[in-house]
Amino acid sequence: MITANELRQKYLDFFKSKGHTIIPSASLIPENDPTVLFTTAGMHPLVPYLLGEKHPGGKRLVSCQKCIRTGDIDEVGDDVHLTFFEMLGNWSLGDYWKEDAIKWSFEFLTKDLGLSKDKIAISCFVGEKENNIEKDEESAKLWQEQGIPKERIVFLGRSDNWWGPAGQTGPCGPDTEMFYWSGKEFAPKVFNPQDKHWVEIWNDVFMQYNKTIDGKYEPLKQKNVDTGMGLERTLAVLNGKESVYDTELFLPIINEIEKLSNKKYNTQQKEFRIIADHIKAVVFIIGDPRGIKPSNIGQGYVVRRLIRRAIRYGRLVGIKDDLVVPIAEVVISSFKDIYPELQQNKKFIVDELKIEEKKFALTLEKGLKKFNEYIKIYWNKKLMEKVLPGRVTFDLYQSYGFPFEMTKEIAKEKGLKVHIEDFERKLKEHQEASRTASAGKFKGGLADNSEIVVKYHTATHLLHKALRDVLGEHVSQKGSNLTAERLRFDFSHPQKMTPDEIAKVEKIVNEKIKEDLPVHFEMLSVEEAKKKGAMSLFEEKYAKLGNKVKVYFIGDYSAEICGGPHVEHTGQIGKFKIIKEEAVSAGVRRIKAIVA
Ligand code: SER
């Protein structure tokens, strides 16, 4: 048996002995990255350094990073998927490369963790002609040199053996993944990645590309190694457990749910796991140094959904009373030694959870009343089948926070059916409408639409484009804030701008103002917007929806996805002047400018 503490410590110590500096876990809420809600990997806080910025810890780093991934929510409750997890990782920032990375991964697994070489299997990148990326024979050869037989090495494509970028653009590359046999019988000679007994435990990414906004892969200035080992999965494998939920990282939480529900874990395993996962995740998000409360937007909405889902699953296992706080207290006491912020923020966590649980209990009550009214109406209708239309089930969802599955179950009890496609259609319409609205809000979130602020808004677009012209295509917006007195614009750039660069940017913006360029917008699909070179942070999900976005054009100089409003022609802006250029954080600069 190995404990979680021992595993964390062994990992950090091993890489320390190989010249790595131990760095603390960064916040779960990414700083200066509006494209993602949460830190999803250990590499995420290191993006500027992977792009070439110098890290104070040197070129070799190691950490245990708190991560949140919400994309797998439907899989949470199986043996391996989690919303919150801890990732052990080591990095080479333009220092060692494949040979050392693979050698050390193998050494750590087999010597320090004592895993059997005969139960390890490997996947490598198969290559991609269209992007000029080679098959990773080099890694496969290095694994063979460590003693992994050929039959245990497979080559797979992009969906398996390519990592990143974390957002739309940034560092990425092929990876090689390590799997461990978790089955009771002997491990098969030939590695079949479809067999679920092969559990993926570690990933070495060879980050040598930067994906640009136009989808190209440019070689990075430096070749980096980025690795990630899931703490929970590895702990399960090491201790012969079938699931991450059967490790000490979950057992105290599961025990508490058994107590509260008076039921055994194995009678409703999936429900128990979902409750445990969701409450653990919200404790870490609310208790983060940059903690987030439940709300209706952004990260806060994720917190709210997780809490409500946990409560609903709590009802399904028969917990009638409050459950969130008692379970949260167990999470806090289990993890406070490693993550002292949970103890420091305990009052905040508990208070917020209490408020949210009460609020949901109230809406549940009100919603049930409304539900009963609907039931009467639909029972009295002389229809062949008693079916609740999407209009009704969506109203319960939208106005009373009723998860659809719950509506379905209650309806069934009352002898009614629900119209599933109708509900899904309504939900989709609503999501598309709110995505379009929030995409607009993201860029055009103007509290004040006064004439002067509108001028600053258009000036910001000119500035953004001029910065790219002068400094390069790596410049992307990290934040923007406008008042009637000034504009403030944060953007990615690795070093201080020189006085000459500042003068050049100022000159371009003033020229574009003098040219009195017309400003207009068009509603385009995301694809068309990209084709027209519109600047934006194209989140993958957002792009897939294929809904229309508003693109503002300034003459043919700039195109940017934005909600507006803007001046009609640039001559209205006046004279533009940069008054300050400073650092916000590593890799992010801030400009303050005025117009007069
Ligand atoms: N970024 C890679 C991952 O998340 C390795 O750290 O798996």
Side-chain angles (χ1 to χ4, degrees):
M1 278 299 255
I2 176 171
T3 67
N5 266 345
E6 282 162 358
L7 177 54
R8 288 190 199 92
Q9 206 51 51
K10 270 186 187 225
Y11 191 93
L12 299 174
D13 288 347
F14 176 84
F15 283 100
K16 196 175 164 197
S17 79
K18 308 283 183 202
H20 292 63
T21 304
I22 300 175
I23 56 170
S25 173
S27 164
L28 273 174
I29 318 302
E31 284 175 67
N32 304 309
D33 188 349
T35 66
V36 282
L37 294 176
F38 296 104
T39 299
T40 57
M43 58 74 73
H44 204 159
L46 298 173
V47 168
Y49 310 103
L50 295 163
L51 291 173
E53 180 92 350
K54 285 211 166 18
H55 192 283
K59 290 183 175 176
R60 296 182 183 190
L61 308 172
V62 59
S63 78
C64 177
Q65 173 66 45
K66 305 182 279 184
C67 301
I68 290 276
R69 287 188 187 174
T70 53
D72 296 333
I73 196 143
D74 291 329
E75 282 166 288
V76 164
D78 69 1
D79 285 334
V80 288
H81 284 91
L82 295 168
T83 307
F84 169 89
F85 64 99
E86 295 170 72
M87 188 186 280
L88 296 161
N90 57 286
W91 291 272
S92 155
L93 303 172
D95 187 21
Y96 59 86
W97 187 233
K98 295 184 183 180
E99 189 175 342
D100 283 326
I102 288 176
K103 194 175 73 199
W104 290 336
S105 287
F106 185 80
E107 183 183 335
F108 183 69
L109 290 177
T110 53
K111 293 230 175 76
D112 293 65
L113 298 185
L115 291 178
S116 160
K117 169 174 98 33
D118 300 333
K119 290 190 184 178
I120 295 175
I122 300 294
S123 64
C124 300
F125 189 52
V126 74
E128 217 168 56
K129 283 214 179 71
E130 62 275 30
N131 286 312
N132 234 341
I133 295 162
E134 282 182 2
K135 181 173 178 182
D136 194 3
E137 304 271 14
E138 190 186 347
S139 293
K141 191 166 152 273
L142 290 164
W143 283 116
Q144 282 183 54
E145 280 168 21
Q146 297 299 326
I148 305 283
K150 235 184 157 139
E151 310 75 58
R152 283 276 181 77
I153 303 175
V154 297
F155 288 92
L156 301 172
R158 175 168 289 267
S159 58
D160 294 285
N161 283 84
W162 183 273
W163 205 90
Q168 177 70 19
T169 59
C172 53
D175 66 37
T176 177
E177 296 187 359
M178 290 147 261
F179 296 78
Y180 198 71
W181 180 253
S182 67
K184 298 257 181 301
E185 309 81 37
F186 281 116
K189 260 204 161 86
V190 178
F191 172 35
N192 168 14
Q194 306 300 328
D195 185 335
K196 293 277 174 259
H197 291 103
W198 288 107
V199 179
E200 181 204 329
I201 51 173
W202 202 354
N203 185 8
D204 289 358
V205 187
F206 302 116
M207 288 195 153
Q208 45 185 324
Y209 300 100
N210 181 33
K211 188 175 182 192
T212 62
I213 191 77
D214 44 13
K216 291 209 181 78
Y217 295 94
E218 289 173 343
L220 279 175
K221 263 196 267 172
Q222 63 189 35
K223 286 182 176 177
N224 308 293
V225 175
D226 154 40
T227 95
M229 172 189 270
L231 176 82
E232 294 80 356
R233 287 186 188 190
T234 308
L235 193 66
V237 157
L238 286 171
N239 291 327
K241 308 278 184 197
E242 260 171 42
S243 162
V244 291
Y245 294 97
D246 299 338
T247 64
E248 59 160 296
L249 296 166
F250 281 94
L251 281 184
I253 312 175
I254 301 274
N255 288 342
E256 182 65 24
I257 305 172
E258 284 192 327
K259 251 191 1 214
L260 292 168
S261 64
N262 235 334
K263 283 216 174 93
K264 284 274 165 242
Y265 169 46
N266 58 14
T267 60
Q268 276 179 293
Q269 204 178 55
K270 183 157 186 198
E271 288 81 359
F272 268 68
R273 289 175 173 186
I274 292 173
I275 302 168
D277 169 88
H278 288 9
I279 297 183
K280 184 173 176 188
V282 300
V283 164
F284 273 92
I285 302 171
I286 305 175
D288 190 88
R290 304 181 69 207
I292 301 278
K293 298 183 198 184
S295 76
N296 273 337
I297 49 160
Q299 291 103 342
Y301 187 55
V302 174
V303 176
R304 172 158 290 166
R305 266 177 34 214
L306 289 170
I307 296 173
R308 294 189 169 191
R309 207 158 179 260
I311 295 174
R312 161 170 150 66
Y313 277 91
R315 300 285 182 266
L316 290 181
V317 300
I319 309 177
K320 295 264 175 296
D321 308 319
D322 290 354
L323 67 140
V324 182
V325 171
I327 300 172
E329 278 173 343
V330 174
V331 176
I332 297 170
S333 70
S334 308
F335 289 92
K336 66 180 189 321
D337 295 334
I338 300 287
Y339 299 102
E341 64 267 29
L342 299 185
Q343 184 62 32
Q344 282 149 20
N345 300 330
K346 183 172 175 179
K347 188 171 167 342
F348 179 63
I349 301 171
V350 169
D351 288 352
E352 286 305 323
L353 290 176
K354 263 191 197 145
I355 297 172
E356 187 63 16
E357 186 154 24
K358 209 171 260 148
K359 225 185 230 167
F360 188 48
L362 274 180
T363 49
L364 262 183
E365 220 172 278
K366 271 199 232 153
L368 278 175
K369 265 194 205 140
K370 187 82 196 165
F371 204 151
N372 286 327
E373 286 168 24
Y374 278 134
I375 287 171
K376 265 192 215 135
I377 298 171
Y378 283 89
W379 250 117
N380 290 335
K381 286 203 171 185
K382 299 205 180 343
L383 299 167
M384 285 279 281
E385 262 199 310
K386 310 286 178 196
V387 184
L388 288 177
R391 189 167 44 77
V392 166
T393 51
F394 186 71
D395 178 49
L396 288 166
Y397 167 82
Q398 175 66 7
S399 314
Y400 301 97
F402 267 48
F404 184 55
E405 308 94 84
M406 192 162 90
T407 301
K408 219 160 57 180
E409 275 159 20
I410 303 173
K412 199 172 158 201
E413 281 166 26
K414 310 279 179 185
L416 286 162
K417 286 193 173 154
V418 293
H419 200 307
I420 299 177
E421 293 83 41
D422 209 17
F423 173 83
E424 281 171 355
R425 195 171 42 77
K426 283 253 179 296
L427 180 67
K428 206 162 160 224
E429 278 167 19
H430 173 78
Q431 282 170 340
E432 287 187 7
S434 60
R435 278 216 180 88
T436 313
S438 68
K441 201 163 92 205
F442 170 62
K443 285 299 208 89
L446 299 178
D448 172 359
N449 281 351
S450 64
E451 219 180 284
I452 179 75
V453 171
V454 172
K455 287 181 186 176
Y456 274 123
H457 196 185
T458 313
T460 303
H461 283 215
L462 290 175
L463 170 64
H464 188 180
K465 183 66 179 21
L467 283 167
R468 283 189 166 215
D469 289 352
V470 173
L471 303 176
E473 292 291 299
H474 62 277
V475 167
S476 73
Q477 172 164 351
K478 292 288 174 198
S480 159
N481 174 286
L482 309 178
T483 69
E485 282 75 43
R486 53 115 186 95
L487 71 81
R488 197 179 81 195
F489 186 72
D490 295 348
F491 60 97
S492 49
H493 183 53
Q495 71 261 357
K496 191 168 174 53
M497 286 174 72
T498 63
D500 185 45
E501 287 167 339
I502 294 178
K504 269 194 191 137
V505 168
E506 224 174 57
K507 186 159 167 255
I508 296 177
V509 175
N510 280 315
E511 274 168 0
K512 298 298 162 194
I513 292 174
K514 238 201 215 128
E515 284 169 33
D516 201 16
L517 300 169
V519 181
H520 80 287
F521 73 83
E522 289 172 26
M523 297 301 294
L524 300 174
S525 72
V526 173
E527 279 315 308
E528 291 167 320
K530 274 190 191 172
K531 249 190 239 144
K532 297 207 171 189
M535 299 188 283
S536 170
L537 302 145
F538 292 99
E539 256 185 285
E540 220 178 319
K541 250 196 224 137
Y542 174 65
K544 265 193 215 137
L545 266 168
N547 49 339
K548 299 258 174 190
V549 291
K550 197 170 178 183
V551 180
Y552 269 91
F553 293 85
I554 306 182
D556 56 11
Y557 180 60
S558 133
E560 192 164 340
I561 294 189
C562 173
H566 284 278
V567 299
E568 279 159 13
H569 46 99
T570 56
Q572 291 169 319
I573 296 174
K575 200 165 165 43
F576 174 81
K577 188 160 180 47
I578 293 176
I579 51 172
K580 202 167 197 174
E581 192 274 344
E582 59 187 333
V584 182
S585 65
V588 181
R589 309 293 307 174
R590 169 170 290 173
I591 278 182
K592 287 187 182 157
I594 53 170
V595 296

